[in-house]
Amino acid sequence: MLRTLVLASTSPYRQELLTRLGLPFETASPDIDETRHEDEEPEEFVQRLSLAKAKAVAEKYPDALIIGSDQVATLDDTILGKPGTHERAMQQLKAASGQSVTFLTGLSLYDSATGRSHTICEPFRVQFRKLTEEEIDDYLRREEPYDCAGSFKSEGLGIALFSLMDGEDPSSLVGLPLIQLVSMLRENNVHVLGRD
């Protein structure tokens, strides 16, 4: 019997990615405090939030496999969050111009029936082109990535911002590392391919 699969996120980007696997799933909004702890490393931060998001919806789903995910972008050990406004997105992309930015995506699969979890951090590095202020402004007005860590959408026009992408799982850049998730699901006897 196929376990109930729950995505502890209302992100349309993560929902679209999970849909690619062709598995039925439900979504739930995790209500957690996303404040970073003092002296918490970015890798620890995204892993902690990923698991916290999954556990936050476990009460509603007592016998499910729950997926939690969180992402930050880092530039010179500084976390770039979701900009929220055009002005902050301009600042972020000006700072990233010509630089290497690492995206850290936390992924957790939590079994609410047993309390077992598997949590990882998937890194993905992008090298930004040297960008003019005009290019940045044009990109932001056309794409409006104000709800995206680092102010860009790699699945859209954001690809024009980069000169190089380096990582094992390109879906992690969008916010849900599908290669790792498929492995975690297989370990829990949920198969994307070859199922009845």
Side-chain angles (χ1 to χ4, degrees):
M1 187 175 98
L2 189 63
R3 299 281 302 279
T4 299
L5 194 60
V6 179
L7 177 63
S9 174
T10 54
S11 161
Y13 311 114
R14 289 193 178 104
Q15 289 177 34
E16 189 278 327
L17 282 170
L18 188 53
T19 298
R20 293 182 192 179
L21 298 184
L23 297 171
F25 68 93
E26 298 181 34
T27 60
S29 178
D31 184 21
I32 64 163
D33 178 1
E34 297 192 28
T35 306
R36 185 178 175 197
H37 294 167
E38 190 175 340
D39 297 327
E40 188 173 33
E41 292 296 323
E43 294 88 348
E44 296 168 350
F45 178 52
V46 295
Q47 289 183 82
R48 178 178 61 81
L49 288 187
S50 298
L51 183 56
K53 287 178 179 181
K55 286 182 172 182
V57 302
E59 190 175 311
K60 186 176 175 187
Y61 298 94
D63 185 18
L65 292 173
I66 305 172
I67 302 162
S69 189
D70 194 75
Q71 182 183 68
V72 296
T74 60
L75 172 64
D76 297 328
D77 297 324
T78 301
I79 289 182
L80 305 174
K82 298 174 182 176
T85 66
H86 184 85
E87 293 72 27
R88 288 179 59 192
M90 283 289 292
Q91 291 171 353
Q92 281 189 349
L93 291 179
K94 281 182 188 177
S97 176
Q99 302 295 314
S100 176
V101 174
T102 301
F103 287 79
L104 300 169
T105 306
L107 173 66
S108 189
L109 186 64
Y110 179 71
D111 186 329
S112 60
T114 65
R116 286 195 316 260
S117 64
H118 184 178
T119 304
I120 57 102
C121 176
E122 184 72 24
F124 200 98
R125 186 179 69 85
V126 296
Q127 179 68 41
F128 277 78
R129 298 179 190 281
K130 276 283 198 189
L131 302 167
T132 66
E133 192 165 325
E134 181 183 12
E135 287 172 322
I136 293 170
D137 185 64
D138 182 43
Y139 167 72
L140 292 174
R141 293 192 187 286
R142 291 168 67 184
E143 193 84 293
E144 299 183 352
Y146 308 124
D147 62 345
C148 301
S151 303
F152 80 90
K153 296 179 190 174
S154 65
E155 67 276 26
L157 192 56
I159 202 75
L161 303 174
F162 313 139
S163 60
L164 176 73
M165 298 171 69
D166 179 33
E168 293 183 8
D169 190 341
S171 58
S172 68
L173 200 52
V174 184
L176 190 65
L178 292 182
I179 293 173
Q180 287 282 359
L181 179 58
V182 167
S183 295
M184 289 179 178
L185 290 171
R186 285 171 63 101
E187 290 169 11
N188 285 273
N189 208 29
V190 176
H191 299 277
V192 174
L193 300 173
R195 65 185 192 275
D196 292 331

mmCIF file with all atom_site columns, all heavy atoms in Angstrom, residues 11 17 37 41 48 50 52 62 73 81 95 100 105 107 111 127 129 144-145 152 155 158 160 169 177 179 182:
data_model
loop_
_atom_site.group_PDB
_atom_site.id
_atom_site.type_symbol
_atom_site.label_atom_id
_atom_site.label_alt_id
_atom_site.label_comp_id
_atom_site.label_asym_id
_atom_site.label_entity_id
_atom_site.label_seq_id
_atom_site.pdbx_PDB_ins_code
_atom_site.Cartn_x
_atom_site.Cartn_y
_atom_site.Cartn_z
_atom_site.occupancy
_atom_site.B_iso_or_equiv
_atom_site.pdbx_formal_charge
_atom_site.auth_seq_id
_atom_site.auth_comp_id
_atom_site.auth_asym_id
_atom_site.auth_atom_id
_atom_site.pdbx_PDB_model_num
ATOM 1   N N   . SER A 1 11  ? 5.036  26.246 -1.294  1.00 0.00 ? 11  SER A N   1
ATOM 2   C CA  . SER A 1 11  ? 5.796  26.818 -2.403  1.00 0.00 ? 11  SER A CA  1
ATOM 3   C C   . SER A 1 11  ? 5.336  26.226 -3.736  1.00 0.00 ? 11  SER A C   1
ATOM 4   O O   . SER A 1 11  ? 5.393  25.009 -3.923  1.00 0.00 ? 11  SER A O   1
ATOM 5   C CB  . SER A 1 11  ? 7.285  26.538 -2.216  1.00 0.00 ? 11  SER A CB  1
ATOM 6   O OG  . SER A 1 11  ? 7.978  26.683 -3.443  1.00 0.00 ? 11  SER A OG  1
ATOM 7   N N   . LEU A 1 17  ? 7.968  20.790 -8.780  1.00 0.00 ? 17  LEU A N   1
ATOM 8   C CA  . LEU A 1 17  ? 9.043  19.802 -8.837  1.00 0.00 ? 17  LEU A CA  1
ATOM 9   C C   . LEU A 1 17  ? 8.556  18.429 -8.395  1.00 0.00 ? 17  LEU A C   1
ATOM 10  O O   . LEU A 1 17  ? 8.813  17.422 -9.060  1.00 0.00 ? 17  LEU A O   1
ATOM 11  C CB  . LEU A 1 17  ? 10.222 20.234 -7.959  1.00 0.00 ? 17  LEU A CB  1
ATOM 12  C CG  . LEU A 1 17  ? 11.138 21.299 -8.546  1.00 0.00 ? 17  LEU A CG  1
ATOM 13  C CD1 . LEU A 1 17  ? 12.116 21.805 -7.486  1.00 0.00 ? 17  LEU A CD1 1
ATOM 14  C CD2 . LEU A 1 17  ? 11.905 20.772 -9.746  1.00 0.00 ? 17  LEU A CD2 1
ATOM 15  N N   . HIS A 1 37  ? 19.401 30.549 14.378  1.00 0.00 ? 37  HIS A N   1
ATOM 16  C CA  . HIS A 1 37  ? 20.008 30.578 15.701  1.00 0.00 ? 37  HIS A CA  1
ATOM 17  C C   . HIS A 1 37  ? 21.370 31.265 15.633  1.00 0.00 ? 37  HIS A C   1
ATOM 18  O O   . HIS A 1 37  ? 22.056 31.214 14.607  1.00 0.00 ? 37  HIS A O   1
ATOM 19  C CB  . HIS A 1 37  ? 20.184 29.160 16.252  1.00 0.00 ? 37  HIS A CB  1
ATOM 20  C CG  . HIS A 1 37  ? 18.905 28.462 16.521  1.00 0.00 ? 37  HIS A CG  1
ATOM 21  N ND1 . HIS A 1 37  ? 18.831 27.112 16.756  1.00 0.00 ? 37  HIS A ND1 1
ATOM 22  C CD2 . HIS A 1 37  ? 17.617 28.910 16.600  1.00 0.00 ? 37  HIS A CD2 1
ATOM 23  C CE1 . HIS A 1 37  ? 17.586 26.759 16.976  1.00 0.00 ? 37  HIS A CE1 1
ATOM 24  N NE2 . HIS A 1 37  ? 16.822 27.831 16.871  1.00 0.00 ? 37  HIS A NE2 1
ATOM 25  N N   . GLU A 1 41  ? 25.523 27.524 11.526  1.00 0.00 ? 41  GLU A N   1
ATOM 26  C CA  . GLU A 1 41  ? 26.056 27.472 10.164  1.00 0.00 ? 41  GLU A CA  1
ATOM 27  C C   . GLU A 1 41  ? 24.897 27.337 9.173   1.00 0.00 ? 41  GLU A C   1
ATOM 28  O O   . GLU A 1 41  ? 23.874 26.715 9.489   1.00 0.00 ? 41  GLU A O   1
ATOM 29  C CB  . GLU A 1 41  ? 27.008 26.287 10.007  1.00 0.00 ? 41  GLU A CB  1
ATOM 30  C CG  . GLU A 1 41  ? 28.290 26.414 10.798  1.00 0.00 ? 41  GLU A CG  1
ATOM 31  C CD  . GLU A 1 41  ? 29.152 27.575 10.337  1.00 0.00 ? 41  GLU A CD  1
ATOM 32  O OE1 . GLU A 1 41  ? 29.214 27.839 9.121   1.00 0.00 ? 41  GLU A OE1 1
ATOM 33  O OE2 . GLU A 1 41  ? 29.760 28.239 11.198  1.00 0.00 ? 41  GLU A OE2 1
ATOM 34  N N   . ARG A 1 48  ? 17.957 21.996 9.866   1.00 0.00 ? 48  ARG A N   1
ATOM 35  C CA  . ARG A 1 48  ? 17.064 22.119 11.023  1.00 0.00 ? 48  ARG A CA  1
ATOM 36  C C   . ARG A 1 48  ? 15.664 22.554 10.585  1.00 0.00 ? 48  ARG A C   1
ATOM 37  O O   . ARG A 1 48  ? 14.653 21.989 11.022  1.00 0.00 ? 48  ARG A O   1
ATOM 38  C CB  . ARG A 1 48  ? 17.637 23.129 12.032  1.00 0.00 ? 48  ARG A CB  1
ATOM 39  C CG  . ARG A 1 48  ? 16.735 23.338 13.244  1.00 0.00 ? 48  ARG A CG  1
ATOM 40  C CD  . ARG A 1 48  ? 17.342 24.291 14.259  1.00 0.00 ? 48  ARG A CD  1
ATOM 41  N NE  . ARG A 1 48  ? 17.583 25.627 13.756  1.00 0.00 ? 48  ARG A NE  1
ATOM 42  C CZ  . ARG A 1 48  ? 16.657 26.593 13.645  1.00 0.00 ? 48  ARG A CZ  1
ATOM 43  N NH1 . ARG A 1 48  ? 15.398 26.343 13.979  1.00 0.00 ? 48  ARG A NH1 1
ATOM 44  N NH2 . ARG A 1 48  ? 16.979 27.792 13.205  1.00 0.00 ? 48  ARG A NH2 1
ATOM 45  N N   . SER A 1 50  ? 14.292 22.246 7.602   1.00 0.00 ? 50  SER A N   1
ATOM 46  C CA  . SER A 1 50  ? 13.649 21.204 6.789   1.00 0.00 ? 50  SER A CA  1
ATOM 47  C C   . SER A 1 50  ? 12.941 20.179 7.666   1.00 0.00 ? 50  SER A C   1
ATOM 48  O O   . SER A 1 50  ? 11.788 19.827 7.422   1.00 0.00 ? 50  SER A O   1
ATOM 49  C CB  . SER A 1 50  ? 14.692 20.495 5.913   1.00 0.00 ? 50  SER A CB  1
ATOM 50  O OG  . SER A 1 50  ? 15.272 21.401 5.023   1.00 0.00 ? 50  SER A OG  1
ATOM 51  N N   . ALA A 1 52  ? 12.127 20.598 10.870  1.00 0.00 ? 52  ALA A N   1
ATOM 52  C CA  . ALA A 1 52  ? 11.089 21.282 11.653  1.00 0.00 ? 52  ALA A CA  1
ATOM 53  C C   . ALA A 1 52  ? 9.814  21.457 10.839  1.00 0.00 ? 52  ALA A C   1
ATOM 54  O O   . ALA A 1 52  ? 8.697  21.303 11.367  1.00 0.00 ? 52  ALA A O   1
ATOM 55  C CB  . ALA A 1 52  ? 11.602 22.637 12.137  1.00 0.00 ? 52  ALA A CB  1
ATOM 56  N N   . PRO A 1 62  ? -0.613 11.477 10.917  1.00 0.00 ? 62  PRO A N   1
ATOM 57  C CA  . PRO A 1 62  ? 0.086  10.584 11.844  1.00 0.00 ? 62  PRO A CA  1
ATOM 58  C C   . PRO A 1 62  ? 0.709  9.337  11.201  1.00 0.00 ? 62  PRO A C   1
ATOM 59  O O   . PRO A 1 62  ? 1.501  8.665  11.841  1.00 0.00 ? 62  PRO A O   1
ATOM 60  C CB  . PRO A 1 62  ? -1.003 10.197 12.847  1.00 0.00 ? 62  PRO A CB  1
ATOM 61  C CG  . PRO A 1 62  ? -2.282 10.367 12.104  1.00 0.00 ? 62  PRO A CG  1
ATOM 62  C CD  . PRO A 1 62  ? -2.067 11.487 11.141  1.00 0.00 ? 62  PRO A CD  1
ATOM 63  N N   . ALA A 1 73  ? 20.715 31.034 0.022   1.00 0.00 ? 73  ALA A N   1
ATOM 64  C CA  . ALA A 1 73  ? 21.825 31.323 -0.885  1.00 0.00 ? 73  ALA A CA  1
ATOM 65  C C   . ALA A 1 73  ? 22.902 32.002 -0.053  1.00 0.00 ? 73  ALA A C   1
ATOM 66  O O   . ALA A 1 73  ? 22.593 32.829 0.812   1.00 0.00 ? 73  ALA A O   1
ATOM 67  C CB  . ALA A 1 73  ? 21.359 32.243 -2.004  1.00 0.00 ? 73  ALA A CB  1
ATOM 68  N N   . GLY A 1 81  ? 18.677 36.062 1.676   1.00 0.00 ? 81  GLY A N   1
ATOM 69  C CA  . GLY A 1 81  ? 17.319 35.548 1.811   1.00 0.00 ? 81  GLY A CA  1
ATOM 70  C C   . GLY A 1 81  ? 16.449 35.929 0.625   1.00 0.00 ? 81  GLY A C   1
ATOM 71  O O   . GLY A 1 81  ? 16.937 36.333 -0.436  1.00 0.00 ? 81  GLY A O   1
ATOM 72  N N   . ALA A 1 95  ? 25.508 42.636 -5.696  1.00 0.00 ? 95  ALA A N   1
ATOM 73  C CA  . ALA A 1 95  ? 26.537 41.982 -4.878  1.00 0.00 ? 95  ALA A CA  1
ATOM 74  C C   . ALA A 1 95  ? 26.983 40.659 -5.502  1.00 0.00 ? 95  ALA A C   1
ATOM 75  O O   . ALA A 1 95  ? 28.157 40.282 -5.414  1.00 0.00 ? 95  ALA A O   1
ATOM 76  C CB  . ALA A 1 95  ? 26.022 41.745 -3.468  1.00 0.00 ? 95  ALA A CB  1
ATOM 77  N N   . SER A 1 100 ? 30.648 34.033 -7.100  1.00 0.00 ? 100 SER A N   1
ATOM 78  C CA  . SER A 1 100 ? 30.133 32.678 -6.949  1.00 0.00 ? 100 SER A CA  1
ATOM 79  C C   . SER A 1 100 ? 29.167 32.650 -5.771  1.00 0.00 ? 100 SER A C   1
ATOM 80  O O   . SER A 1 100 ? 29.498 33.118 -4.687  1.00 0.00 ? 100 SER A O   1
ATOM 81  C CB  . SER A 1 100 ? 31.304 31.722 -6.695  1.00 0.00 ? 100 SER A CB  1
ATOM 82  O OG  . SER A 1 100 ? 30.837 30.425 -6.455  1.00 0.00 ? 100 SER A OG  1
ATOM 83  N N   . THR A 1 105 ? 20.384 23.633 -0.024  1.00 0.00 ? 105 THR A N   1
ATOM 84  C CA  . THR A 1 105 ? 19.003 23.194 0.102   1.00 0.00 ? 105 THR A CA  1
ATOM 85  C C   . THR A 1 105 ? 18.934 22.047 1.091   1.00 0.00 ? 105 THR A C   1
ATOM 86  O O   . THR A 1 105 ? 19.547 20.998 0.891   1.00 0.00 ? 105 THR A O   1
ATOM 87  C CB  . THR A 1 105 ? 18.430 22.754 -1.258  1.00 0.00 ? 105 THR A CB  1
ATOM 88  O OG1 . THR A 1 105 ? 18.606 23.812 -2.196  1.00 0.00 ? 105 THR A OG1 1
ATOM 89  C CG2 . THR A 1 105 ? 16.950 22.423 -1.153  1.00 0.00 ? 105 THR A CG2 1
ATOM 90  N N   . LEU A 1 107 ? 16.884 19.074 2.919   1.00 0.00 ? 107 LEU A N   1
ATOM 91  C CA  . LEU A 1 107 ? 15.809 18.147 2.561   1.00 0.00 ? 107 LEU A CA  1
ATOM 92  C C   . LEU A 1 107 ? 15.653 17.150 3.685   1.00 0.00 ? 107 LEU A C   1
ATOM 93  O O   . LEU A 1 107 ? 16.646 16.568 4.153   1.00 0.00 ? 107 LEU A O   1
ATOM 94  C CB  . LEU A 1 107 ? 16.142 17.415 1.260   1.00 0.00 ? 107 LEU A CB  1
ATOM 95  C CG  . LEU A 1 107 ? 15.177 16.300 0.846   1.00 0.00 ? 107 LEU A CG  1
ATOM 96  C CD1 . LEU A 1 107 ? 13.798 16.852 0.493   1.00 0.00 ? 107 LEU A CD1 1
ATOM 97  C CD2 . LEU A 1 107 ? 15.752 15.512 -0.334  1.00 0.00 ? 107 LEU A CD2 1
ATOM 98  N N   . ASP A 1 111 ? 9.134  10.182 8.750   1.00 0.00 ? 111 ASP A N   1
ATOM 99  C CA  . ASP A 1 111 ? 8.087  9.173  8.863   1.00 0.00 ? 111 ASP A CA  1
ATOM 100 C C   . ASP A 1 111 ? 7.319  9.458  10.150  1.00 0.00 ? 111 ASP A C   1
ATOM 101 O O   . ASP A 1 111 ? 7.826  9.211  11.255  1.00 0.00 ? 111 ASP A O   1
ATOM 102 C CB  . ASP A 1 111 ? 8.714  7.778  8.900   1.00 0.00 ? 111 ASP A CB  1
ATOM 103 C CG  . ASP A 1 111 ? 7.674  6.668  8.862   1.00 0.00 ? 111 ASP A CG  1
ATOM 104 O OD1 . ASP A 1 111 ? 6.555  6.867  9.368   1.00 0.00 ? 111 ASP A OD1 1
ATOM 105 O OD2 . ASP A 1 111 ? 7.993  5.585  8.329   1.00 0.00 ? 111 ASP A OD2 1
ATOM 106 N N   . GLN A 1 127 ? 27.993 30.530 -10.780 1.00 0.00 ? 127 GLN A N   1
ATOM 107 C CA  . GLN A 1 127 ? 28.890 31.662 -11.030 1.00 0.00 ? 127 GLN A CA  1
ATOM 108 C C   . GLN A 1 127 ? 28.090 32.704 -11.809 1.00 0.00 ? 127 GLN A C   1
ATOM 109 O O   . GLN A 1 127 ? 27.595 32.419 -12.895 1.00 0.00 ? 127 GLN A O   1
ATOM 110 C CB  . GLN A 1 127 ? 30.119 31.216 -11.837 1.00 0.00 ? 127 GLN A CB  1
ATOM 111 C CG  . GLN A 1 127 ? 31.096 32.320 -12.160 1.00 0.00 ? 127 GLN A CG  1
ATOM 112 C CD  . GLN A 1 127 ? 31.809 32.852 -10.923 1.00 0.00 ? 127 GLN A CD  1
ATOM 113 O OE1 . GLN A 1 127 ? 32.196 32.087 -10.047 1.00 0.00 ? 127 GLN A OE1 1
ATOM 114 N NE2 . GLN A 1 127 ? 31.968 34.165 -10.842 1.00 0.00 ? 127 GLN A NE2 1
ATOM 115 N N   . ARG A 1 129 ? 27.504 36.029 -14.045 1.00 0.00 ? 129 ARG A N   1
ATOM 116 C CA  . ARG A 1 129 ? 28.185 36.873 -15.029 1.00 0.00 ? 129 ARG A CA  1
ATOM 117 C C   . ARG A 1 129 ? 28.393 38.257 -14.412 1.00 0.00 ? 129 ARG A C   1
ATOM 118 O O   . ARG A 1 129 ? 27.726 38.627 -13.460 1.00 0.00 ? 129 ARG A O   1
ATOM 119 C CB  . ARG A 1 129 ? 27.316 37.052 -16.286 1.00 0.00 ? 129 ARG A CB  1
ATOM 120 C CG  . ARG A 1 129 ? 26.992 35.794 -17.031 1.00 0.00 ? 129 ARG A CG  1
ATOM 121 C CD  . ARG A 1 129 ? 26.095 36.113 -18.238 1.00 0.00 ? 129 ARG A CD  1
ATOM 122 N NE  . ARG A 1 129 ? 25.587 34.906 -18.839 1.00 0.00 ? 129 ARG A NE  1
ATOM 123 C CZ  . ARG A 1 129 ? 26.284 34.119 -19.657 1.00 0.00 ? 129 ARG A CZ  1
ATOM 124 N NH1 . ARG A 1 129 ? 27.523 34.425 -19.969 1.00 0.00 ? 129 ARG A NH1 1
ATOM 125 N NH2 . ARG A 1 129 ? 25.741 33.027 -20.151 1.00 0.00 ? 129 ARG A NH2 1
ATOM 126 N N   . GLU A 1 144 ? 10.434 39.197 -11.780 1.00 0.00 ? 144 GLU A N   1
ATOM 127 C CA  . GLU A 1 144 ? 9.883  39.469 -10.446 1.00 0.00 ? 144 GLU A CA  1
ATOM 128 C C   . GLU A 1 144 ? 10.155 38.324 -9.455  1.00 0.00 ? 144 GLU A C   1
ATOM 129 O O   . GLU A 1 144 ? 9.222  37.780 -8.849  1.00 0.00 ? 144 GLU A O   1
ATOM 130 C CB  . GLU A 1 144 ? 8.384  39.767 -10.533 1.00 0.00 ? 144 GLU A CB  1
ATOM 131 C CG  . GLU A 1 144 ? 8.070  40.983 -11.375 1.00 0.00 ? 144 GLU A CG  1
ATOM 132 C CD  . GLU A 1 144 ? 6.590  41.333 -11.410 1.00 0.00 ? 144 GLU A CD  1
ATOM 133 O OE1 . GLU A 1 144 ? 5.763  40.532 -10.902 1.00 0.00 ? 144 GLU A OE1 1
ATOM 134 O OE2 . GLU A 1 144 ? 6.259  42.404 -11.941 1.00 0.00 ? 144 GLU A OE2 1
ATOM 135 N N   . PRO A 1 145 ? 11.423 37.986 -9.232  1.00 0.00 ? 145 PRO A N   1
ATOM 136 C CA  . PRO A 1 145 ? 11.758 36.855 -8.356  1.00 0.00 ? 145 PRO A CA  1
ATOM 137 C C   . PRO A 1 145 ? 11.871 37.248 -6.887  1.00 0.00 ? 145 PRO A C   1
ATOM 138 O O   . PRO A 1 145 ? 12.793 36.822 -6.180  1.00 0.00 ? 145 PRO A O   1
ATOM 139 C CB  . PRO A 1 145 ? 13.121 36.424 -8.911  1.00 0.00 ? 145 PRO A CB  1
ATOM 140 C CG  . PRO A 1 145 ? 13.753 37.735 -9.287  1.00 0.00 ? 145 PRO A CG  1
ATOM 141 C CD  . PRO A 1 145 ? 12.621 38.585 -9.825  1.00 0.00 ? 145 PRO A CD  1
ATOM 142 N N   . PHE A 1 152 ? 16.567 35.173 -7.858  1.00 0.00 ? 152 PHE A N   1
ATOM 143 C CA  . PHE A 1 152 ? 16.491 34.685 -9.239  1.00 0.00 ? 152 PHE A CA  1
ATOM 144 C C   . PHE A 1 152 ? 15.762 33.352 -9.311  1.00 0.00 ? 152 PHE A C   1
ATOM 145 O O   . PHE A 1 152 ? 15.656 32.637 -8.326  1.00 0.00 ? 152 PHE A O   1
ATOM 146 C CB  . PHE A 1 152 ? 17.881 34.543 -9.861  1.00 0.00 ? 152 PHE A CB  1
ATOM 147 C CG  . PHE A 1 152 ? 18.572 33.285 -9.456  1.00 0.00 ? 152 PHE A CG  1
ATOM 148 C CD1 . PHE A 1 152 ? 18.440 32.119 -10.194 1.00 0.00 ? 152 PHE A CD1 1
ATOM 149 C CD2 . PHE A 1 152 ? 19.325 33.245 -8.308  1.00 0.00 ? 152 PHE A CD2 1
ATOM 150 C CE1 . PHE A 1 152 ? 19.050 30.951 -9.796  1.00 0.00 ? 152 PHE A CE1 1
ATOM 151 C CE2 . PHE A 1 152 ? 19.945 32.088 -7.907  1.00 0.00 ? 152 PHE A CE2 1
ATOM 152 C CZ  . PHE A 1 152 ? 19.803 30.935 -8.656  1.00 0.00 ? 152 PHE A CZ  1
ATOM 153 N N   . GLU A 1 155 ? 14.889 28.358 -13.304 1.00 0.00 ? 155 GLU A N   1
ATOM 154 C CA  . GLU A 1 155 ? 14.033 27.668 -14.268 1.00 0.00 ? 155 GLU A CA  1
ATOM 155 C C   . GLU A 1 155 ? 13.418 28.634 -15.276 1.00 0.00 ? 155 GLU A C   1
ATOM 156 O O   . GLU A 1 155 ? 12.717 28.224 -16.190 1.00 0.00 ? 155 GLU A O   1
ATOM 157 C CB  . GLU A 1 155 ? 12.939 26.869 -13.543 1.00 0.00 ? 155 GLU A CB  1
ATOM 158 C CG  . GLU A 1 155 ? 11.902 27.710 -12.814 1.00 0.00 ? 155 GLU A CG  1
ATOM 159 C CD  . GLU A 1 155 ? 12.320 28.146 -11.416 1.00 0.00 ? 155 GLU A CD  1
ATOM 160 O OE1 . GLU A 1 155 ? 13.521 28.259 -11.141 1.00 0.00 ? 155 GLU A OE1 1
ATOM 161 O OE2 . GLU A 1 155 ? 11.428 28.391 -10.604 1.00 0.00 ? 155 GLU A OE2 1
ATOM 162 N N   . GLY A 1 158 ? 16.333 33.595 -15.246 1.00 0.00 ? 158 GLY A N   1
ATOM 163 C CA  . GLY A 1 158 ? 17.500 33.650 -14.370 1.00 0.00 ? 158 GLY A CA  1
ATOM 164 C C   . GLY A 1 158 ? 18.715 32.944 -14.926 1.00 0.00 ? 158 GLY A C   1
ATOM 165 O O   . GLY A 1 158 ? 19.852 33.268 -14.568 1.00 0.00 ? 158 GLY A O   1
ATOM 166 N N   . ALA A 1 160 ? 20.041 33.348 -17.606 1.00 0.00 ? 160 ALA A N   1
ATOM 167 C CA  . ALA A 1 160 ? 20.858 34.327 -18.334 1.00 0.00 ? 160 ALA A CA  1
ATOM 168 C C   . ALA A 1 160 ? 21.816 35.084 -17.412 1.00 0.00 ? 160 ALA A C   1
ATOM 169 O O   . ALA A 1 160 ? 22.717 35.775 -17.887 1.00 0.00 ? 160 ALA A O   1
ATOM 170 C CB  . ALA A 1 160 ? 19.947 35.322 -19.062 1.00 0.00 ? 160 ALA A CB  1
ATOM 171 N N   . ASP A 1 169 ? 22.684 18.063 -8.372  1.00 0.00 ? 169 ASP A N   1
ATOM 172 C CA  . ASP A 1 169 ? 21.237 17.947 -8.539  1.00 0.00 ? 169 ASP A CA  1
ATOM 173 C C   . ASP A 1 169 ? 20.643 19.300 -8.918  1.00 0.00 ? 169 ASP A C   1
ATOM 174 O O   . ASP A 1 169 ? 20.386 20.136 -8.055  1.00 0.00 ? 169 ASP A O   1
ATOM 175 C CB  . ASP A 1 169 ? 20.613 17.444 -7.234  1.00 0.00 ? 169 ASP A CB  1
ATOM 176 C CG  . ASP A 1 169 ? 19.148 17.064 -7.392  1.00 0.00 ? 169 ASP A CG  1
ATOM 177 O OD1 . ASP A 1 169 ? 18.512 17.505 -8.370  1.00 0.00 ? 169 ASP A OD1 1
ATOM 178 O OD2 . ASP A 1 169 ? 18.633 16.338 -6.523  1.00 0.00 ? 169 ASP A OD2 1
ATOM 179 N N   . PRO A 1 177 ? 15.605 18.952 -3.900  1.00 0.00 ? 177 PRO A N   1
ATOM 180 C CA  . PRO A 1 177 ? 16.551 18.048 -4.568  1.00 0.00 ? 177 PRO A CA  1
ATOM 181 C C   . PRO A 1 177 ? 15.918 16.697 -4.896  1.00 0.00 ? 177 PRO A C   1
ATOM 182 O O   . PRO A 1 177 ? 15.882 15.796 -4.076  1.00 0.00 ? 177 PRO A O   1
ATOM 183 C CB  . PRO A 1 177 ? 17.688 17.890 -3.540  1.00 0.00 ? 177 PRO A CB  1
ATOM 184 C CG  . PRO A 1 177 ? 17.444 18.915 -2.483  1.00 0.00 ? 177 PRO A CG  1
ATOM 185 C CD  . PRO A 1 177 ? 15.976 19.205 -2.513  1.00 0.00 ? 177 PRO A CD  1
ATOM 186 N N   . ILE A 1 179 ? 16.810 14.208 -6.930  1.00 0.00 ? 179 ILE A N   1
ATOM 187 C CA  . ILE A 1 179 ? 17.662 13.017 -6.989  1.00 0.00 ? 179 ILE A CA  1
ATOM 188 C C   . ILE A 1 179 ? 17.800 12.414 -5.593  1.00 0.00 ? 179 ILE A C   1
ATOM 189 O O   . ILE A 1 179 ? 17.624 11.214 -5.394  1.00 0.00 ? 179 ILE A O   1
ATOM 190 C CB  . ILE A 1 179 ? 19.039 13.351 -7.605  1.00 0.00 ? 179 ILE A CB  1
ATOM 191 C CG1 . ILE A 1 179 ? 18.876 13.725 -9.088  1.00 0.00 ? 179 ILE A CG1 1
ATOM 192 C CG2 . ILE A 1 179 ? 20.007 12.186 -7.451  1.00 0.00 ? 179 ILE A CG2 1
ATOM 193 C CD1 . ILE A 1 179 ? 20.143 14.244 -9.749  1.00 0.00 ? 179 ILE A CD1 1
ATOM 194 N N   . VAL A 1 182 ? 14.314 10.970 -4.382  1.00 0.00 ? 182 VAL A N   1
ATOM 195 C CA  . VAL A 1 182 ? 13.986 9.652  -4.938  1.00 0.00 ? 182 VAL A CA  1
ATOM 196 C C   . VAL A 1 182 ? 14.721 8.558  -4.163  1.00 0.00 ? 182 VAL A C   1
ATOM 197 O O   . VAL A 1 182 ? 14.151 7.508  -3.844  1.00 0.00 ? 182 VAL A O   1
ATOM 198 C CB  . VAL A 1 182 ? 14.306 9.594  -6.447  1.00 0.00 ? 182 VAL A CB  1
ATOM 199 C CG1 . VAL A 1 182 ? 14.267 8.156  -6.968  1.00 0.00 ? 182 VAL A CG1 1
ATOM 200 C CG2 . VAL A 1 182 ? 13.322 10.451 -7.226  1.00 0.00 ? 182 VAL A CG2 1
#
